[in-house]
Amino acid sequence: MTTVLTPASPLTAADRCDRCGAQAYLRVVLASGGELLFCAHHGRKFEPELKKIAVEIQDESGRLGGTAATATDDER
């Protein structure tokens, strides 16, 4: 997935995938100004289509490899 580094706020556990409701790890900003949120699975699945319509993609799926077994207070 193409990552664009921006000063956008980090995604939190409250941000949910627009497709399945799982925790979102990708924010896709559209040319129209709207945004879509996806879990890592759906982000990978829709990657070719998203690259065509995205102005910006914030990919935080790298956090999945280092996720702690328990959530910190700010992730709850």
Side-chain angles (χ1 to χ4, degrees):
M1 174 113 339
T2 303
T3 303
V4 177
L5 300 175
T6 64
S9 59
L11 294 166
T12 69
D15 294 308
R16 309 313 282 179
C17 176
D18 289 327
R19 181 71 177 158
C20 70
Q23 183 173 348
Y25 287 94
L26 284 95
R27 175 180 286 129
V28 180
V29 178
L30 306 172
S32 64
E35 71 177 26
L36 299 170
L37 299 176
F38 291 102
C39 63
H41 164 79
H42 284 112
R44 285 189 300 271
K45 181 177 179 179
F46 299 124
E47 178 180 8
E49 293 83 12
L50 293 173
K51 285 182 174 181
K52 293 176 188 174
I53 62 170
V55 173
E56 175 182 321
I57 297 176
Q58 178 183 350
D59 184 351
E60 297 183 10
S61 61
R63 293 178 20 215
L64 287 169
T67 303
T70 58
T72 62
D73 288 338
D74 64 324
E75 292 176 316
R76 295 183 187 165

